[in-house]
Amino acid sequence: ADSRAAKYSMQLTARMDELFATDVGSVLGLKDRLGGTVTGSVEVSRQADGRLKAEGALKSSQGFVMVGSTRQPTQLDVGFTVDAEPDAQGRLQSAKVGLAANADSFYVRSLKPATITSLNDPQKLNAEADLKLHVAGREFWKQFGPLLEVLNMGAPLAEELDGELHISGSAGKIET
């Protein structure tokens, strides 16, 4: 067996009300606005040839967001895969990433694995992804409004949105 091969795993659990009951949560406007539990797991293996493969998931339970004085239930499930390849010096140079995220009010998933190249050279970093998405307009903003406000996206979208999205970018540049 090659001594470079290894397996790692991680489990996490966080209560969102405790996570955001901090000065940072207060500054972001999330304190007392999100609740429930998030659990996650990641399995990472380093192959004998230096490749890294990872698979993980995050899931919320009993999640809620406060909309005014109303406790709006919400749930989020996220899964991802990563297959990363090293360069001759053993530094990660490229990766293929798969994503699927679902909630009551939206879903987004990779149509094919996203590609990220030049991880070992930030000046040449490049990424490309093709996603399928559905956003249930007003319901999406009810469930994720506080988080969207942090991103300066506070204006609600009233209509449903279905489509495919191509995103590409390089160091300092993003295109859709």
Side-chain angles (χ1 to χ4, degrees), residues 5-133:
K7 264 191 148 171
Y8 307 92
S9 64
M10 179 182 77
Q11 308 288 318
L12 67 91
T13 301
R15 287 191 39 202
M16 287 189 282
D17 58 332
E18 291 177 356
L19 186 64
F20 295 112
T22 62
D23 290 341
V24 172
S26 185
V27 168
L28 293 175
L30 299 174
K31 187 175 182 178
D32 300 324
R33 296 189 68 192
L34 298 171
T37 302
V38 175
T39 56
S41 63
V42 178
E43 299 285 331
V44 179
S45 62
R46 185 177 64 214
Q47 311 296 304
D49 64 0
R51 293 179 81 88
L52 284 180
K53 293 187 179 254
E55 187 171 324
L58 285 173
K59 182 176 182 153
S60 67
S61 60
Q62 300 177 342
F64 67 89
V65 60
M66 295 302 293
V67 179
S69 61
T70 304
R71 187 176 171 148
Q72 171 77 34
T74 188
Q75 179 179 328
L76 180 64
D77 294 310
V78 178
F80 66 89
T81 59
V82 177
D83 185 0
E85 185 177 317
D87 61 16
Q89 290 77 36
R91 297 174 301 181
L92 294 181
Q93 71 176 354
S94 64
K96 294 200 179 286
V97 180
L99 171 71
N102 302 290
D104 297 334
S105 62
F106 86 96
Y107 71 80
V108 61
R109 67 175 177 266
S110 304
L111 289 171
K112 61 184 179 183
T115 57
I116 305 170
T117 58
S118 299
L119 286 166
N120 53 351
D121 187 353
Q123 303 298 330
K124 296 179 183 175
L125 183 67
N126 192 41
E128 192 166 335
D130 289 303
L131 306 170
K132 176 139 182 89
L133 65 118

